[in-house]
Structure formats: structure tokens, C-alpha cells
Amino acid sequence: MLRVHGKGDKVVLTPLPPAVGRAIDRAKGDRSSGPILRSRAETRMSGHVATRRLKRLAATAGIEIARMHPHMLRHTFVTTMLDAGVDLRDVQIAARHADPRTTMRYDRARKNLDRHPNYILAAFMASGT
């Protein structure tokens, strides 16, 4: 579990997959408190430092995107869950969005007719259950 301090000084405990937990353990070393991601000066990583680091990592991986920024990772997190069929409410909770409309803005597949409630209902009725 990871304790996350979010907007409005809200604290939430977030479960982590084992691989993510191991990566965080490596990043924090022997420390038991404070920011996980730090700058070279050992201070909390700013948005600018995070952007530069992300751009360097992307370049190393051969990824070329014109406007690379850390929020793209959050966008990918939310859209991938929605694409995987995770319930909107569960995605909203995971993204810590107060309003489901915020989460819905990430849903690039909302125009996919297969996911439209009418199609889901028709499939359910056709299955005879």
C-alpha cells in the first residue's frame, strides 16, 4: 500500500501491484518518509524536473512525441483502464476524480457502439439470459 497525499491535502491508501511496489522500494532506498521521486538535489521533484526526466526516458526508449509531459502518464493510466473495460466508477476512484464527468473526458472509446448501453442490452437479450 502506498499513502498518497493528493489535492486538498487528502490522503489515500493505494494498493500497488508487486512489481510497482518493488520499483518504489528501490527508489526510496532506506528512507521511510518523504517524496519518492526526488531531484538530483534530493528535494521533491518539480513538474519541470519530471518533464525533463520523462523526455529523457522516452528518448532513450526511442519514443518521439512532440509535447511529452507527466500528465500523459495519468491519461494513459485512465484510458487504458477504460479500454480494458474497468467500470467507470472504479476508474473514477482509482484516478481520485470527485466527479465522474472528469473521468469520462478521458474515455476516447465512448463513441464505440459496442459499448453503448443499447448494444449491451441487445446482446444480453439475444443471449437468452
Side-chain angles (χ1 to χ4, degrees):
M1 298 292 273
L2 179 67
R3 180 177 303 170
V4 177
H5 291 262
K7 286 183 180 178
D9 208 28
K10 291 181 186 173
V11 177
V12 64
L13 291 176
T14 303
L16 300 173
V20 175
R22 288 189 298 273
I24 288 175
D25 286 342
R26 284 192 307 273
K28 72 178 186 69
D30 294 332
R31 295 178 294 123
S32 61
S33 64
I36 294 169
L37 300 175
R38 300 180 301 172
S39 67
R40 288 184 186 157
E42 302 292 317
T43 60
R44 182 179 304 274
M45 184 182 288
S46 70
H48 294 294
V49 171
T51 299
R52 283 194 306 271
R53 190 166 296 174
L54 182 60
K55 285 180 179 181
R56 257 194 322 271
L57 289 169
T60 301
I63 299 169
E64 294 181 29
I65 297 176
R67 298 185 65 207
M68 176 75 66
H69 52 85
H71 190 76
M72 292 177 87
L73 301 175
R74 180 175 176 80
H75 187 81
T76 300
F77 171 72
V78 172
T79 57
T80 303
M81 282 193 289
L82 291 169
D83 289 348
V86 176
D87 183 72
L88 178 68
R89 177 71 177 140
D90 293 332
V91 176
Q92 176 191 347
I93 291 166
R96 298 185 322 273
H97 289 154
D99 189 325
R101 291 176 293 190
T102 304
T103 310
M104 289 170 55
R105 284 196 300 242
Y106 288 88
D107 192 0
R108 62 179 174 213
R110 67 180 166 263
K111 293 184 174 90
N112 180 347
L113 293 179
D114 291 338
R115 287 185 42 200
H116 191 280
N118 292 345
Y119 277 67
I120 294 170
L121 177 60
F124 176 78
M125 305 269 303
S127 70
T129 42

